[in-house]
Every structure is written in C-alpha cells, then in structure tokens.
Amino acid sequence: MSKAVYEAAKKQYAKLGVDTEKAIAALKKIPISMHCWQGDDVTGFENAGALTGGIQSTGNYPGKARTPAELMQDLAFSFKLIPGLHRLNLHACYAIFEDGKKVDRDKIEPKHFKPWVEFAKKMKIGLDFNPTFFSHPLADQLTLASEDPKVRNFWIKHGIQCLKIAEYFGKELGTPCGCNFWVPDGYKDDPSDRMGPRKRLKDSYDKIFKYKYNKKYVTVTVESKLYGIGVESYTVGSHEFYMNYAAKNNLLCLLDMGHFHPTELIADKISSLLLFSDKVAFHVSRGVRWDSDHVIRLDDAVKAAAEEIVRNDPKNFIIALDYFDGSINRIAAMVLGMRNMQKALLLALLQPQATLKGLQDARQYTEQLVLQEELKTYPMAAVWDEFCSRCGLPADESWMKDVLDYEKKEFAKRV
Ligand code: RNT
Ligand code: ZN
C-alpha cells in the first residue's frame, strides 16, 4: 500500500475526529502476552504424558517443539513477525531441569526458570506465569478441591512455589508478572455435593495466598470455567466462585473467552468487573462447540472485547492469549492470533468513541446504529498497513512465506 493510501485514510478518519497517528501510537503501547503452550500442544518439558484436565490439543502437524531450545527458537521467530513489543506467558510445566535433576511440581523453584529469564532479557520482554494443575498423576479430576488432604497439600505447595517463581520473574525483568490460577477440578456427571468441593477449593486458595508475595512483582489473576471435556456437569471454580473470591481477596478475575456458555460474550462483563477492581485480565480464546481453545479469529467476540478494552483504558487490562491447535503450523497459529488481537484493538482505537457515547447519551439511537455500521467499512487496513510498515513488517499474509521457509529449514530436523 502506498503512503498516499494511508494519507487518504487518515483524512477520512479525521473527519470523524479520529486521529490515526494517535491510534498507531496507542496500539504500539499495548502489550499482549503470547502463550508458550501453542508451540508444543501444552506438552511442557517434564515428560509427564498426556494432556489432561478437560483440555485437548488435536492434530499432528509436523515440527512441534520438543525441547526448551526448540521452543525458544520458535517463539523468538514468531515474535519477529508480530508488530510491537509483547510478553511471554509460561506454564509451570515448562520448567527446565538442567543436568536431568527433575523435581516434582511441589518443589519447583525460580532456578528452574532461569533460562526463560535469560531468554526474556535477550528478547526484552516481560514474563507471565501459570501454575500447572493438570497433566500430572495427582491431578485426577480434583486438585485443590480434592477430598484427599495429601493431594490438596501437594497442589497448595505447587501454588506457593509458583508465586515465588512469579516474584522472581517480576523482580528480574522489572515488570510485574501476571500469575494466573486455573484448576480443572470438576465432575462429568451431576454431583451430590456441590458445596464440599467449593469449600475445599476456597480453603486451599486461602492457604496459597497466605504466602505474602510481593505485589510490586506479581499480579494474581484467577480464571473460571463453565465446563470442559469430561467435566461437563460441574466445575468447582465457576465464574461466581472466582468473582467473589477475587473481590473479597483483592485479586483479579481472568475471563477466558472460551469458558462461558457458547453464545455468551465476555464483552458485557468487563465494565461490571472493572467497577470493582483495578484491572481485568483475559485469556483471548475461541470456543467451538465443546472446545474452548481454537485459534482466535478476528471475529465479533474478539472485536467487542477489544472495544471495551479501548473504551476503559488499555492500561487497566491484562491481555493474554490462550489456545492450542496441533493441526496447523504452530508458529503461524501464534503469529496469527497475536496479529488478530492487535487488529481488533486497532479497529476499536479507530472508532470515534466520544461521538458514539454522545449519541447514546443523547438517545440518538438511529444515528448511533448507522455510525456503528458504517464504521465497519472504514479503511482500517490502510492504518494497519502503516502501523506494520513502521514496525518493519508486512501488513498482509506474506509473513506466512517466512513461516514456510522456517518450516522447511527447521522442522525437517525434528523427526
Ligand atoms: C483451560 C484454561 C487454561 C489453560 C491453560 C493451558 O481451559 O483455559 O487457561 O488453557 O492454562
Ligand atoms: Zn484459559
């Protein structure tokens, strides 16, 4: 696209009172936390076996990263194709045991993540973190909500160790680490006791957060879910559970877009949460039928969430991606999702928010509807093009050629 196309778009937006330069500058400053686990189908480095916990990655696309070195290489390559500076989201199961000295999850320490901190420093990015309460012999249906105190204690220790690791990330990298708690606990069929498991989950969390982590370095988020594969009837950590737990304990709610009723959108929940807490966190994901983790598209759900983020100041949000698809090139899946999230944010940044709000408050609903609809065909692509080219990247699908070249060169070594 030529500069003239951008200049024309700039003029068209200016007529609405939208400054495209401001939109570009704002977009550059919104970090998105890219999840490491799309790179290897949530496998991690413990050789723990199958992925469990009601989540599933299917597909055998070649080239899955098998080692820390391969995953870091793939992540670094992906970041190169994503405009702007972002963050990396790790899971506890990505601990690196040098010299083969493997420890169990209740004993992992900051030192097991040192190579990740070095990687982050080299990439000049911040790190976020997630305890891993699944894919483990002691994660049989219930973890923090287990009837067995030994199992609960094991996972409580894991949670505390993860807070220490998150502190280490925040301190080393000079940017607070978002530490997100999600447990898969639940039942396939209707339980007879709904209260017991929830009481135990609450009690376990109380024990984890007795550890007084340094809030300067760590921001704790808690993630709810409605159902998962094999956990269709009852999830201990429901939305209501976490909304109340977060409010009472001064933690943040994390909304995963795939964790609600299939037609329920999270965009409408954001303002209600934000009125009662400092920030709202997301796992940007896409539910399809019973799966909650398809690669995100630039769809209405993502666009609506981005609008709420922009309208309520992006600084008040923690945006992380969460999906995993093993049936397509995993690097392309990461890059595409990140770019889609950025496009959604740009679309929202290019809306005349004050005008739209004014129309609502003046009850000019017809004008509001017309403007909302006409905006959909405004030349956002020209602004996206300008943003990408200022970041030295293509705005179109030509980045896929680089991915395919990389695939040819690197994936052949991974058989
Ligand atoms: C699962 C949750 C959770 C996981 C990751 C791997 O339904 O969304 O966030 O996807 O922690
Ligand atoms: Zn999630």
Side-chain angles (χ1 to χ4, degrees):
M1 239 179 250
S2 71
K3 201 86 190 160
V5 178
Y6 171 65
E7 290 304 326
K10 189 174 171 178
K11 271 198 197 123
Q12 198 180 342
Y13 277 112
K15 273 199 211 149
L16 285 179
V18 173
D19 183 340
T20 56
E21 287 297 318
K22 271 197 189 150
I24 289 174
L27 186 60
K28 261 200 188 145
K29 283 199 219 120
I30 308 179
I32 302 168
S33 198
M34 187 168 86
H35 53 315
C36 75
W37 53 90
Q38 165 64 70
D40 72 341
D41 310 344
V42 212
T43 305
F45 306 132
E46 302 167 311
N47 303 315
L51 175 61
T52 71
I55 52 178
Q56 235 176 60
S57 174
T58 54
N60 297 312
Y61 199 88
K64 168 174 154 172
R66 299 161 306 173
T67 60
E70 285 178 359
L71 185 56
M72 284 181 199
Q73 189 191 329
D74 291 357
L75 292 167
F77 179 77
S78 305
F79 275 124
K80 272 200 232 146
L81 300 175
I82 301 158
L85 211 53
H86 298 281
R87 304 175 64 85
L88 177 64
N89 207 356
L90 293 174
H91 237 287
C93 60
Y94 290 82
I96 298 171
F97 303 109
E98 273 159 349
D99 314 323
K101 281 189 200 135
K102 196 183 145 187
V103 297
D104 210 344
R105 297 225 188 122
D106 58 336
K107 297 194 183 67
I108 50 167
E109 290 177 59
K111 70 173 184 201
H112 301 118
F113 291 86
K114 194 162 172 264
W116 283 115
V117 166
E118 282 159 9
F119 175 74
K121 283 185 179 164
K122 208 167 73 201
M123 300 288 299
K124 298 192 172 63
I125 55 174
L127 289 177
D128 297 308
F129 198 51
N130 303 257
T132 311
F133 294 99
F134 50 83
S135 305
H136 187 279
L138 290 183
D140 179 15
Q141 287 183 64
L142 301 168
T143 62
L144 290 177
S146 172
E147 327 79 333
D148 182 347
K150 277 201 231 81
V151 172
R152 288 203 302 278
N153 279 337
F154 175 87
W155 291 113
I156 289 167
K157 281 191 200 147
H158 176 61
I160 295 172
Q161 289 309 105
C162 285
L163 287 171
K164 293 180 185 166
I165 294 161
E167 276 179 319
Y168 162 66
F169 288 171
K171 197 169 176 182
E172 284 289 320
L173 300 168
T175 166
C177 170
C179 187
N180 178 55
F181 285 74
W182 172 74
V183 296
D185 301 31
Y187 295 113
K188 184 182 175 79
D189 224 327
D190 293 333
S192 307
D193 175 16
R194 290 171 186 273
M195 183 58 98
R198 291 199 167 119
K199 257 192 177 156
R200 295 194 290 266
L201 182 60
K202 178 179 173 292
D203 182 65
S204 294
Y205 275 128
D206 289 347
K207 290 191 169 125
I208 291 174
F209 299 124
K210 267 217 179 96
Y211 172 73
K212 290 288 159 247
Y213 59 93
N214 189 333
K215 295 202 171 167
K216 196 170 127 202
Y217 301 132
V218 182
T219 309
V220 169
T221 63
V222 286
E223 177 184 7
S224 65
K225 194 167 179 174
L226 182 64
Y227 67 92
I229 302 168
V231 199
E232 288 86 1
S233 299
Y234 167 87
T235 292
V236 188
S238 61
H239 184 49
E240 294 74 12
F241 175 93
Y242 281 116
M243 208 165 56
N244 285 299
Y245 194 85
K248 283 235 173 186
N249 296 283
N250 209 10
L251 305 173
L252 301 182
C253 276
L254 182 142
L255 303 174
D256 182 306
M257 296 179 63
H259 288 191
F260 294 86
H261 287 280
T263 57
E264 192 178 4
L265 295 181
I266 61 139
D268 189 54
K269 304 179 190 301
I270 295 167
S271 42
S272 299
L273 287 174
L274 201 56
L275 268 179
F276 301 98
S277 66
D278 297 344
K279 282 187 181 168
V280 174
F282 301 104
H283 270 178
V284 186
S285 189
R286 179 165 58 102
V288 175
R289 315 254 186 244
W290 54 81
D291 176 57
S292 60
D293 297 291
H294 271 55
V295 179
I296 60 162
R297 290 176 180 267
L298 182 58
D299 62 12
D300 286 351
V302 173
K303 286 192 262 187
E307 283 171 358
E308 288 301 302
I309 292 173
V310 164
R311 289 168 184 164
N312 293 292
D313 190 349
K315 281 201 211 76
N316 294 326
F317 297 92
I318 296 175
I319 311 170
L321 306 190
D322 179 18
Y323 52 79
F324 24 96
D325 186 344
S327 75
I328 59 174
N329 181 299
R330 295 171 185 81
I331 293 171
M334 291 194 251
V335 176
L336 183 68
M338 292 289 280
R339 290 170 66 106
N340 274 345
M341 188 63 218
Q342 288 186 295
K343 284 182 189 173
L345 289 164
L346 182 60
L347 276 167
L349 287 163
L350 291 172
Q351 290 176 352
Q353 300 297 352
T355 307
L356 287 165
K357 185 177 173 306
L359 291 173
Q360 174 180 317
D361 291 344
R363 302 195 176 196
Q364 288 174 266
Y365 303 132
T366 320
E367 290 90 328
Q368 176 181 258
L369 178 65
V370 169
L371 183 52
Q372 284 170 339
E373 288 303 299
E374 291 301 343
L375 275 168
K376 290 182 179 169
T377 44
Y378 264 62
M380 170 275 200
V383 186
W384 171 251
D385 190 281
E386 182 64 18
F387 170 69
C388 289
S389 85
R390 286 185 199 178
C391 295
L393 284 169
D396 61 12
E397 66 286 355
S398 56
W399 57 266
M400 191 56 204
K401 192 190 162 299
D402 294 7
V403 175
L404 292 175
D405 287 346
Y406 181 88
E407 175 175 320
K408 237 196 229 143
K409 216 172 88 216
E410 297 300 327
F411 290 3
K413 300 178 198 158
R414 298 183 189 178
V415 280

